[in-house]
Amino acid sequence: MSKIILSLDLSLACPAFAVLKVTDGKVKVIEVSHVKTKAKDSTGQRLFIIANHLQDILDRYEFDAYVMEKGFSKFPVATQQLQRVVGVTLVTLYRNGVINVGELSPTTVKKGITGSGKASKEELATCLHDYVGDVKYKTDDESDAVGVGIAFAKSKGWI
């Protein structure tokens, strides 16, 4: 039995999306992408671009599960921006019939992949090779999105 997962690493500047297929305990990266938004654009424009990118992915695949990394920032402005991205993401998913979206903390993702909740982004990306082989990530956000999906699959016992 296979499971197709949409995994998200959300931000306003560079959200990333991973489509993973889990079959018999093995993970394959079907697609990984990101959107770079421009700081000079309005927040509304940036959210619109993110929602359109997500919709394009939703139009091309049928998913069994959806998961995103829980957002955290010690800075109020960054937290507010992230919550706007989460809001537009949840609305876009809901419009497509998605009701349940898993969430994993960054620490849970790092611990699930590397064994340490304090691992760096570089350590996480290196450990992903053990699960998905040689994937060329264009940003740290893309590797983070893949990590979120793998950690989620592990938490479900699919890996």
Side-chain angles (χ1 to χ4, degrees):
M1 173 163 40
S2 291
K3 300 282 186 185
I4 306 290
I5 303 168
L6 175 60
S7 177
L8 308 139
D9 179 45
L10 298 176
S11 70
L12 185 59
C14 188
F17 309 83
V19 179
L20 307 176
K21 184 174 186 177
V22 180
T23 308
D24 299 326
K26 305 270 189 231
V27 184
K28 180 178 181 185
V29 175
I30 304 298
E31 176 180 328
V32 65
S33 62
H34 70 277
V35 178
K36 287 242 190 226
T37 65
K38 298 174 186 161
K40 66 178 174 90
D41 288 344
S42 72
T43 300
Q45 287 173 296
R46 296 167 84 180
L47 293 172
F48 184 75
I49 290 165
I50 293 166
N52 283 344
H53 186 83
L54 173 58
Q55 186 62 57
D56 176 60
I57 294 168
L58 293 170
D59 289 343
R60 291 185 285 117
Y61 299 97
E62 287 193 28
F63 295 98
D64 298 296
Y66 306 82
V67 62
M68 68 177 82
E69 189 172 63
K70 283 184 186 176
F72 170 79
S73 175
K74 52 188 166 193
F75 304 106
V77 172
T79 299
Q80 189 178 54
Q81 288 177 335
L82 180 59
Q83 290 310 311
R84 289 174 175 156
V85 175
V86 169
V88 80
T89 299
L90 291 175
V91 167
T92 302
L93 290 169
Y94 189 76
R95 280 191 175 143
N96 285 270
V98 178
I99 296 168
N100 295 316
V101 180
E103 284 188 288
L104 296 177
S105 71
T107 305
T108 300
V109 172
K110 291 174 185 177
K111 187 166 179 60
I113 303 298
T114 70
S116 169
K118 297 180 189 244
S120 69
K121 286 184 174 279
E122 294 77 21
E123 290 169 321
L124 176 72
T126 300
C127 288
L128 290 178
H129 187 272
D130 295 340
Y131 294 94
V132 296
D134 193 26
V135 175
K136 300 292 183 214
Y137 304 106
K138 294 177 183 163
T139 68
D140 288 342
D141 304 297
E142 287 187 354
S143 58
D144 285 353
V146 171
V148 170
I150 292 171
F152 179 78
K154 286 180 77 173
S155 77
K156 293 292 188 184
W158 300 340
I159 299 174

